[in-house]
Amino acid sequence: MLTMKQGSLWASALMLSACTALPRSGPSTESVILSALSETINAEATLGYQYALVDLTTEALPFLSDDEDRTPATLGVASGPPPEIRLGVGDVIQVTVFESQSGGLFIPREAGVRPGNFVQLPPQEIGRNGLITVPYAGQITAAGQRVEDLEENIKNRLATQAIEPQVSVEVRQKNSSQASVVGAVRAPGAYVLRNSGDRILDIIAKAGGVASPEYNTLVTLSREGANASIPYEILTATPTENVFIAPGDTLNITSELKKYYVFGATGRVGEFDFNDDEIFLRTALGFASGLLDGRADPADVLVYRREDKATLANMGFDTSLFPETSEGIPTVYKVDFRKPDSFFIVSEFTVEDGDVIYVSNATSIEISKFFNLATTITGGTRTVEADIDGLVR
């Protein structure tokens, strides 16, 4: 028979185990603080991530990085002079041959009608074999040549037949020296490059400009099988990234929505899109309908992100404790809304792409959950005792 005393002990044991199993929408602030990386690493308290915990104060604000700080220079390393535009397969050229006096090899049809002793040959396209044909000179390699080099080659071929020949080559159509623009632009297509050189923004302008919000736009340059990407905002703000385009390059303009995530004791939880190039924490919490009265702990608003290693080092963290990674160091920023000046802080703290904002439950809510559960358990215990007594009797 289960005595009243044994039933009470059993209920107490259940209540104790229930303390660690109370439902909640995320980690408690105490567990976040205790598991943060300090002088020692407590790997058992987390899932294996070693993270830094930063109290968001006016002292920390000047050191904070942003998306642009964490984006390395991706195109400027290839900067240099404009590429040399040479003749290529598909270009249409026209050759004109001049002679110093009449009676030479090339007799113009209009001789005696117009001044000058020259003949303009019909336009011709450089074939797939890279050759053109000039009367009395035969086939001559044109693809890969500079215009002045081709003129000199034709002149040398005719030197023994024509009277002091001079040659002029005019490019009628440039079909080989083009770059393509695809994606989120108003007029995608292939555009001819100028001999003086065209930079990335020049080609985007020829394509009518970007068709998506600038803060969501990514520019990818493809050249000879290699790709490099850079946010459009950084491209426009950093002249060294606005490199010259080479023939055969492709620019792919894509729109990549920046997002942040809100969980915990807020009016709305889930995934939120950036609707501007810069979102402050006050705005992000406003979109989430703020903190819930009677549930949220205003002292425990946490922002999770991967922070730049140099940023944490400038704050005084010993970054040697963290493993080397190109993605940044896992960092938790803690905001205390109980302090009257906290709203100034959240008006200066910028939310970044991929940030996770979590608002913890107040301790009183956890206590209330415990007592509700405890009441249910102890009530059930009395019922069990009564049933057992009935069976024994």
Side-chain angles (χ1 to χ4, degrees):
M1 176 179 177
L2 184 67
T3 66
M4 184 68 70
K5 182 177 181 181
Q6 289 172 326
S8 298
L9 288 173
W10 179 49
S12 299
L14 282 177
M15 289 170 61
L16 234 100
S17 63
C19 289
T20 60
L22 288 173
R24 60 184 302 130
S25 56
S28 66
T29 304
E30 291 79 4
S31 67
V32 171
I33 295 174
L34 291 175
S35 301
L37 189 63
S38 56
E39 294 302 322
T40 60
I41 299 174
N42 185 6
E44 295 181 357
T46 68
L47 298 176
Y49 284 97
Q50 300 167 8
Y51 60 91
L53 179 64
V54 180
D55 284 323
L56 193 56
T57 63
T58 53
E59 287 77 14
L61 281 177
F63 299 107
L64 296 182
S65 61
D66 54 27
D67 280 340
E68 293 188 6
D69 293 334
R70 288 191 288 274
T71 303
T74 54
L75 304 179
V77 292
S79 62
E84 187 176 48
I85 305 298
R86 293 177 177 250
L87 297 172
V89 173
D91 287 347
V92 178
I93 63 174
Q94 187 165 42
V95 178
T96 303
V97 181
F98 298 83
E99 291 186 275
S100 62
Q101 60 185 22
S102 60
L105 183 62
F106 293 92
I107 302 175
R109 184 179 302 175
E110 304 86 356
V113 179
R114 62 164 172 79
N117 193 42
F118 65 90
V119 171
Q120 195 170 53
L121 302 178
Q124 61 180 306
E125 182 178 330
I126 300 175
R128 289 191 175 185
N129 57 4
L131 303 177
I132 62 169
T133 300
V134 178
Y136 305 106
Q139 290 188 323
I140 299 177
T141 300
Q145 300 288 314
R146 296 180 301 176
V147 169
E148 52 269 30
D149 292 337
L150 180 59
E151 291 173 342
E152 187 68 19
N153 291 340
I154 298 173
K155 171 188 168 182
N156 293 337
R157 289 282 191 95
L158 298 173
T160 59
Q161 304 176 69
I163 302 174
E164 299 179 0
Q166 298 294 317
V167 178
S168 173
V169 174
E170 178 187 0
V171 181
R172 301 295 295 272
Q173 291 182 18
K174 288 183 176 181
N175 296 318
S176 65
S177 57
Q178 295 183 345
S180 299
V181 187
V182 298
V185 290
R186 293 181 175 84
Y191 293 90
V192 175
L193 301 179
R194 299 173 294 180
N195 288 333
S196 58
D198 288 285
R199 296 180 182 271
I200 293 178
L201 292 178
D202 297 329
I203 299 299
I204 292 177
K206 288 182 180 181
V210 296
S212 56
E214 294 185 2
Y215 54 85
N216 284 336
T217 300
L218 188 71
V219 178
T220 300
L221 172 63
S222 299
R223 176 179 298 173
E224 298 178 351
N227 298 323
S229 300
I230 189 171
Y232 184 76
E233 283 188 316
I234 297 180
L235 177 64
T236 56
T238 313
T240 55
E241 299 295 328
N242 187 26
V243 300
F244 284 104
I245 294 293
D249 284 355
T250 298
L251 288 177
N252 187 14
I253 315 300
T254 55
S255 178
E256 297 191 352
L257 291 177
K258 296 166 64 176
K259 299 178 181 293
Y260 65 94
Y261 308 85
V262 181
F263 301 104
T266 59
R268 294 174 58 202
V269 298
E271 179 182 88
F272 295 82
D273 293 335
F274 279 61
N275 63 352
D276 203 345
D277 59 339
E278 193 173 53
I279 296 289
F280 293 102
L281 183 54
R282 65 178 181 194
T283 309
L285 289 172
F287 288 151
S289 300
L291 278 61
L292 288 177
D293 288 341
R295 177 180 167 188
D297 187 346
D300 298 327
V301 177
L302 308 175
V303 179
Y304 290 72
R305 78 165 52 146
R306 289 188 175 272
E307 189 57 89
D308 181 67
K309 188 173 184 178
T311 299
L312 292 177
N314 291 335
M315 290 181 184
F317 278 84
D318 182 4
T319 56
S320 65
L321 297 174
F322 298 91
E324 289 291 337
T325 174
S326 59
E327 297 178 348
I329 295 174
T331 304
V332 180
Y333 289 98
K334 181 176 178 294
V335 186
D336 186 352
F337 272 90
R338 296 176 306 177
K339 297 181 179 179
D341 55 352
S342 61
F343 287 94
F344 294 109
I345 286 288
V346 297
S347 298
E348 299 179 51
F349 182 80
T350 306
V351 175
E352 304 300 344
D353 184 26
D355 277 1
V356 176
I357 302 171
Y358 170 68
V359 180
S360 179
N361 285 342
T363 304
S364 59
I365 296 299
E366 304 308 316
I367 295 174
S368 175
K369 288 180 182 179
F370 171 76
F371 278 112
N372 288 338
L373 184 60
T375 301
T376 303
I377 293 173
T378 54
T381 302
R382 294 192 186 96
T383 303
V384 170
E385 289 175 348
D387 291 343
I388 291 175
D389 288 341
L391 287 172
V392 171
R393 291 173 186 174

Coordinates of all heavy atoms in Angstrom, one line a residue, residues 267-328:
G267 N 5.4 40.1 -29.9 CA 4.1 40.0 -30.5 C 4.0 39.2 -31.8 O 3.0 38.5 -32.0
R268 N 5.1 39.2 -32.5 CA 5.2 38.4 -33.8 C 6.6 37.7 -33.8 O 7.6 38.3 -33.4 CB 5.0 39.2 -35.0 CG 3.7 39.9 -35.2 CD 3.7 40.8 -36.4 NE 4.1 40.1 -37.6 CZ 4.6 40.7 -38.7 NH1 4.8 42.0 -38.7 NH2 4.9 40.0 -39.8
V269 N 6.6 36.5 -34.2 CA 7.9 35.8 -34.4 C 8.0 35.3 -35.8 O 7.0 35.2 -36.5 CB 8.0 34.6 -33.4 CG1 7.9 35.1 -32.0 CG2 6.9 33.6 -33.7
G270 N 9.2 35.0 -36.2 CA 9.4 34.5 -37.6 C 10.5 35.2 -38.4 O 11.4 35.8 -37.8
E271 N 10.4 35.2 -39.7 CA 11.3 35.7 -40.6 C 10.9 37.1 -41.1 O 9.7 37.2 -41.5 CB 11.5 34.7 -41.8 CG 12.5 35.2 -42.8 CD 12.6 34.1 -43.9 OE1 11.8 34.2 -44.9 OE2 13.5 33.2 -43.8
F272 N 11.7 38.1 -41.1 CA 11.4 39.4 -41.5 C 12.4 39.9 -42.6 O 13.6 39.7 -42.5 CB 11.4 40.4 -40.4 CG 10.4 40.1 -39.3 CD1 10.6 39.2 -38.3 CD2 9.2 40.8 -39.3 CE1 9.7 38.9 -37.4 CE2 8.2 40.5 -38.3 CZ 8.5 39.6 -37.3
D273 N 11.8 40.5 -43.7 CA 12.6 41.1 -44.7 C 13.1 42.5 -44.4 O 12.3 43.3 -43.7 CB 11.9 41.2 -46.1 CG 11.6 39.8 -46.6 OD1 12.3 38.8 -46.2 OD2 10.6 39.6 -47.3
F274 N 14.3 42.9 -44.8 CA 14.7 44.3 -44.7 C 13.9 45.1 -45.7 O 13.7 44.7 -46.9 CB 16.2 44.4 -45.1 CG 17.1 44.0 -43.9 CD1 17.1 42.8 -43.4 CD2 18.0 45.0 -43.4 CE1 18.0 42.4 -42.4 CE2 18.9 44.7 -42.4 CZ 18.9 43.4 -41.9
N275 N 13.4 46.2 -45.3 CA 12.7 47.0 -46.2 C 13.4 48.3 -46.5 O 12.9 49.3 -47.0 CB 11.3 47.4 -45.7 CG 11.3 48.1 -44.4 OD1 12.3 48.3 -43.8 ND2 10.1 48.6 -43.9
D276 N 14.7 48.3 -46.1 CA 15.6 49.5 -46.3 C 17.0 49.0 -46.3 O 17.3 47.8 -46.0 CB 15.3 50.5 -45.2 CG 15.7 51.9 -45.6 OD1 16.4 52.0 -46.6 OD2 15.4 52.9 -44.9
D277 N 17.9 49.9 -46.6 CA 19.3 49.5 -46.6 C 19.9 49.4 -45.2 O 20.9 48.7 -45.0 CB 20.2 50.5 -47.5 CG 20.1 51.9 -46.9 OD1 19.1 52.2 -46.2 OD2 21.0 52.7 -47.2
E278 N 19.2 49.9 -44.2 CA 19.7 49.9 -42.9 C 18.5 49.8 -41.9 O 17.5 50.6 -42.0 CB 20.5 51.2 -42.6 CG 21.3 51.1 -41.3 CD 22.2 52.3 -41.2 OE1 21.7 53.5 -41.3 OE2 23.4 52.2 -40.9
I279 N 18.5 48.8 -41.0 CA 17.5 48.5 -40.1 C 18.1 48.6 -38.7 O 19.1 47.9 -38.4 CB 16.8 47.2 -40.3 CG1 16.1 47.1 -41.6 CG2 15.8 46.9 -39.2 CD1 14.9 47.9 -41.7
F280 N 17.6 49.4 -37.8 CA 18.0 49.5 -36.4 C 17.2 48.5 -35.6 O 16.1 48.1 -35.9 CB 17.9 50.9 -35.9 CG 18.9 51.8 -36.5 CD1 18.4 52.7 -37.5 CD2 20.2 51.9 -36.3 CE1 19.2 53.6 -38.1 CE2 21.1 52.7 -36.9 CZ 20.6 53.6 -37.8
L281 N 17.8 48.1 -34.4 CA 17.1 47.2 -33.5 C 15.7 47.6 -33.1 O 14.8 46.8 -33.0 CB 18.0 46.9 -32.3 CG 17.5 45.8 -31.3 CD1 17.2 44.5 -32.0 CD2 18.5 45.6 -30.2
R282 N 15.6 48.9 -32.9 CA 14.3 49.5 -32.5 C 13.2 49.2 -33.6 O 12.1 48.8 -33.3 CB 14.4 51.0 -32.3 CG 14.7 51.7 -33.5 CD 14.8 53.2 -33.4 NE 15.1 53.8 -34.7 CZ 15.4 55.1 -34.9 NH1 15.6 55.9 -33.9 NH2 15.7 55.5 -36.1
T283 N 13.6 49.3 -34.9 CA 12.7 49.1 -36.0 C 12.4 47.6 -36.1 O 11.2 47.2 -36.3 CB 13.3 49.6 -37.3 OG1 13.7 50.9 -37.1 CG2 12.3 49.5 -38.4
A284 N 13.4 46.8 -35.9 CA 13.2 45.3 -36.0 C 12.2 44.8 -35.0 O 11.3 44.0 -35.3 CB 14.6 44.6 -35.9
L285 N 12.4 45.3 -33.7 CA 11.5 44.9 -32.7 C 10.1 45.5 -32.9 O 9.1 44.9 -32.6 CB 12.0 45.4 -31.3 CG 13.2 44.6 -30.8 CD1 13.8 45.2 -29.5 CD2 12.9 43.1 -30.5
G286 N 10.0 46.7 -33.5 CA 8.7 47.3 -33.9 C 8.0 46.4 -34.9 O 6.8 46.2 -34.8
F287 N 8.7 45.9 -35.9 CA 8.0 45.0 -36.9 C 7.5 43.8 -36.2 O 6.6 43.2 -36.7 CB 9.0 44.7 -38.0 CG 9.3 45.9 -38.9 CD1 10.5 46.0 -39.6 CD2 8.3 46.8 -39.1 CE1 10.8 47.0 -40.5 CE2 8.6 47.9 -40.0 CZ 9.8 48.0 -40.7
A288 N 8.2 43.4 -35.1 CA 7.8 42.2 -34.4 C 6.7 42.5 -33.3 O 6.5 41.6 -32.5 CB 9.0 41.5 -33.8
S289 N 6.2 43.7 -33.4 CA 5.1 44.1 -32.5 C 5.6 44.3 -31.0 O 4.8 44.2 -30.1 CB 3.9 43.2 -32.5 OG 3.4 43.2 -33.8
G290 N 6.9 44.4 -30.8 CA 7.5 44.7 -29.5 C 7.5 43.6 -28.6 O 7.1 42.4 -28.9
L291 N 7.9 43.9 -27.3 CA 7.9 42.9 -26.3 C 6.5 42.6 -25.7 O 5.8 43.6 -25.5 CB 8.9 43.3 -25.2 CG 10.4 43.0 -25.4 CD1 10.9 43.8 -26.7 CD2 11.2 43.4 -24.2
L292 N 6.2 41.4 -25.3 CA 4.9 41.1 -24.8 C 4.8 41.5 -23.3 O 5.7 41.0 -22.5 CB 4.6 39.6 -24.9 CG 4.3 39.1 -26.3 CD1 4.1 37.6 -26.3 CD2 3.0 39.8 -26.9
D293 N 3.8 42.3 -22.9 CA 3.6 42.6 -21.5 C 3.3 41.4 -20.7 O 2.5 40.5 -21.2 CB 2.5 43.6 -21.4 CG 2.9 45.0 -21.8 OD1 4.2 45.3 -21.9 OD2 2.1 45.8 -22.2
G294 N 3.8 41.2 -19.6 CA 3.5 40.1 -18.7 C 4.2 38.8 -19.1 O 4.0 37.8 -18.4
R295 N 5.0 38.8 -20.1 CA 5.7 37.6 -20.5 C 7.2 37.8 -20.7 O 8.0 37.1 -20.3 CB 5.1 37.0 -21.7 CG 5.8 35.7 -22.2 CD 5.2 35.1 -23.5 NE 6.1 34.2 -24.1 CZ 5.9 33.6 -25.2 NH1 4.8 33.9 -25.9 NH2 6.8 32.7 -25.7
A296 N 7.5 38.9 -21.4 CA 8.9 39.2 -21.8 C 9.7 39.7 -20.6 O 9.1 40.4 -19.8 CB 9.0 40.2 -23.0
D297 N 11.0 39.4 -20.6 CA 11.9 40.0 -19.6 C 12.6 41.1 -20.3 O 13.5 40.8 -21.2 CB 12.9 38.9 -19.1 CG 13.7 39.4 -18.0 OD1 13.7 40.7 -17.8 OD2 14.4 38.6 -17.3
P298 N 12.3 42.3 -20.1 CA 13.0 43.5 -20.8 C 14.5 43.5 -20.6 O 15.2 44.2 -21.3 CB 12.3 44.7 -20.2 CG 11.7 44.3 -18.9 CD 11.4 42.8 -19.0
A299 N 15.0 42.8 -19.6 CA 16.4 42.8 -19.3 C 17.2 41.8 -20.2 O 18.4 41.9 -20.2 CB 16.7 42.5 -17.8
D300 N 16.4 41.0 -20.9 CA 17.1 39.9 -21.6 C 16.6 39.9 -23.1 O 15.9 39.0 -23.5 CB 16.7 38.6 -20.9 CG 17.2 38.5 -19.5 OD1 18.3 39.1 -19.2 OD2 16.6 37.9 -18.7
V301 N 17.1 40.9 -23.8 CA 16.9 40.9 -25.3 C 18.2 40.6 -25.9 O 19.2 41.3 -25.7 CB 16.3 42.2 -25.7 CG1 16.2 42.3 -27.3 CG2 15.0 42.6 -25.1
L302 N 18.3 39.5 -26.6 CA 19.5 39.0 -27.2 C 19.6 39.0 -28.7 O 18.5 38.8 -29.3 CB 19.8 37.5 -26.7 CG 19.6 37.3 -25.2 CD1 19.7 35.8 -24.9 CD2 20.7 38.0 -24.4
V303 N 20.7 39.4 -29.3 CA 20.9 39.4 -30.7 C 22.1 38.5 -31.0 O 23.2 38.7 -30.6 CB 21.2 40.8 -31.2 CG1 21.4 40.8 -32.7 CG2 20.1 41.8 -30.9
Y304 N 21.8 37.4 -31.8 CA 22.8 36.4 -32.2 C 23.3 36.8 -33.6 O 22.5 37.0 -34.5 CB 22.2 35.0 -32.3 CG 21.8 34.4 -30.9 CD1 20.8 34.9 -30.2 CD2 22.6 33.4 -30.4 CE1 20.4 34.3 -28.9 CE2 22.3 32.8 -29.2 CZ 21.2 33.3 -28.5 OH 20.9 32.7 -27.2
R305 N 24.6 36.8 -33.8 CA 25.2 37.0 -35.1 C 26.7 36.4 -35.1 O 27.2 36.2 -34.0 CB 25.2 38.5 -35.5 CG 26.3 39.3 -34.8 CD 26.5 40.7 -35.5 NE 25.2 41.4 -35.7 CZ 25.1 42.7 -35.6 NH1 26.2 43.4 -35.4 NH2 23.9 43.3 -35.7
R306 N 27.2 36.3 -36.3 CA 28.6 36.0 -36.4 C 29.4 37.3 -36.6 O 29.2 38.0 -37.6 CB 28.9 35.0 -37.6 CG 28.4 33.6 -37.3 CD 28.8 32.6 -38.4 NE 28.4 31.3 -38.0 CZ 29.1 30.4 -37.3 NH1 30.3 30.8 -36.8 NH2 28.7 29.2 -37.0
E307 N 30.2 37.6 -35.6 CA 30.9 38.9 -35.6 C 32.3 38.8 -36.2 O 33.0 37.7 -36.1 CB 30.9 39.5 -34.2 CG 31.4 40.9 -34.1 CD 30.6 41.8 -34.9 OE1 29.5 42.4 -34.5 OE2 31.0 42.0 -36.1
D308 N 32.7 39.9 -36.8 CA 34.1 39.9 -37.3 C 35.1 39.8 -36.1 O 34.9 40.4 -35.1 CB 34.3 41.3 -38.0 CG 35.7 41.4 -38.6 OD1 36.0 40.7 -39.5 OD2 36.4 42.3 -38.1
K309 N 36.2 39.0 -36.4 CA 37.2 38.7 -35.3 C 37.9 40.0 -34.9 O 38.1 40.2 -33.7 CB 38.2 37.7 -35.9 CG 39.1 37.2 -34.8 CD 40.0 36.1 -35.4 CE 40.9 35.5 -34.3 NZ 41.8 34.4 -34.8
A310 N 38.2 40.9 -35.8 CA 38.8 42.1 -35.5 C 38.0 43.0 -34.6 O 38.5 43.7 -33.7 CB 39.2 42.9 -36.7
T311 N 36.7 43.0 -34.8 CA 35.7 43.7 -34.0 C 35.8 43.3 -32.5 O 35.9 44.1 -31.6 CB 34.3 43.6 -34.5 OG1 34.2 44.1 -35.8 CG2 33.3 44.4 -33.6
L312 N 35.8 42.0 -32.3 CA 35.8 41.5 -30.9 C 37.2 41.8 -30.3 O 37.3 42.1 -29.1 CB 35.5 40.0 -30.9 CG 34.1 39.6 -31.2 CD1 33.9 38.1 -31.2 CD2 33.1 40.2 -30.3
A313 N 38.2 41.7 -31.1 CA 39.6 42.0 -30.6 C 39.6 43.4 -30.1 O 40.2 43.8 -29.1 CB 40.6 41.7 -31.6
N314 N 39.0 44.3 -30.9 CA 39.0 45.8 -30.5 C 38.2 46.0 -29.2 O 38.5 47.0 -28.5 CB 38.5 46.6 -31.6 CG 39.4 46.6 -32.8 OD1 40.6 46.5 -32.7 ND2 38.8 46.9 -34.0
M315 N 37.3 45.1 -29.0 CA 36.5 45.3 -27.7 C 37.2 44.7 -26.5 O 36.8 44.9 -25.4 CB 35.2 44.5 -27.9 CG 34.2 45.1 -28.8 SD 32.6 44.2 -28.9 CE 31.7 45.0 -30.1
G316 N 38.4 44.0 -26.8 CA 39.2 43.5 -25.7 C 39.0 42.0 -25.5 O 39.6 41.5 -24.5
F317 N 38.3 41.3 -26.4 CA 38.2 39.8 -26.2 C 39.5 39.2 -26.6 O 40.2 39.6 -27.6 CB 37.1 39.3 -27.1 CG 35.7 39.5 -26.5 CD1 35.0 40.6 -26.6 CD2 35.1 38.4 -25.8 CE1 33.8 40.8 -26.0 CE2 33.9 38.5 -25.2 CZ 33.2 39.7 -25.4
D318 N 39.8 38.1 -26.0 CA 41.0 37.3 -26.4 C 40.5 36.3 -27.5 O 40.0 35.2 -27.2 CB 41.5 36.5 -25.2 CG 42.7 35.6 -25.5 OD1 43.2 35.7 -26.7 OD2 43.2 34.9 -24.7
T319 N 40.6 36.7 -28.7 CA 40.1 36.0 -29.8 C 40.9 34.7 -30.1 O 40.4 33.9 -30.9 CB 40.1 36.8 -31.1 OG1 41.4 37.3 -31.4 CG2 39.1 38.0 -30.9
S320 N 42.0 34.5 -29.5 CA 42.8 33.3 -29.7 C 42.0 32.1 -29.1 O 42.3 30.9 -29.4 CB 44.2 33.4 -29.0 OG 44.1 33.5 -27.6
L321 N 41.1 32.3 -28.2 CA 40.3 31.2 -27.6 C 39.3 30.6 -28.6 O 38.7 29.6 -28.4 CB 39.5 31.7 -26.4 CG 40.3 32.2 -25.2 CD1 39.4 32.8 -24.1 CD2 41.2 31.1 -24.6
F322 N 39.0 31.4 -29.7 CA 38.0 30.9 -30.7 C 38.7 30.3 -31.9 O 39.8 30.7 -32.3 CB 37.2 32.1 -31.2 CG 36.4 32.8 -30.1 CD1 37.0 33.9 -29.4 CD2 35.1 32.4 -29.9 CE1 36.2 34.5 -28.4 CE2 34.4 33.0 -28.9 CZ 34.9 34.1 -28.2
P323 N 38.1 29.3 -32.5 CA 38.7 28.6 -33.6 C 38.7 29.5 -34.8 O 37.8 30.4 -35.0 CB 37.8 27.4 -33.9 CG 36.5 27.8 -33.2 CD 36.9 28.6 -32.0
E324 N 39.7 29.4 -35.7 CA 39.8 30.2 -36.9 C 38.6 29.8 -37.9 O 38.3 28.6 -38.1 CB 41.1 29.9 -37.7 CG 42.3 30.5 -36.9 CD 42.3 32.0 -36.9 OE1 41.7 32.6 -37.8 OE2 42.9 32.6 -36.1
T325 N 37.9 30.8 -38.4 CA 36.8 30.5 -39.3 C 36.6 31.8 -40.1 O 36.8 32.9 -39.7 CB 35.5 30.2 -38.6 OG1 34.4 30.1 -39.5 CG2 35.2 31.2 -37.5
S326 N 36.2 31.6 -41.4 CA 36.0 32.7 -42.3 C 34.6 33.3 -42.1 O 34.3 34.3 -42.7 CB 36.1 32.2 -43.8 OG 35.2 31.2 -44.1
E327 N 33.7 32.6 -41.4 CA 32.4 33.0 -41.2 C 32.2 34.0 -40.0 O 31.1 34.5 -39.8 CB 31.4 31.8 -41.0 CG 31.4 30.9 -42.2 CD 30.5 29.7 -41.9 OE1 30.1 29.5 -40.7 OE2 30.2 28.9 -42.9
G328 N 33.2 34.2 -39.2 CA 33.1 35.1 -38.1 C 32.9 34.3 -36.8 O 32.6 33.1 -36.8

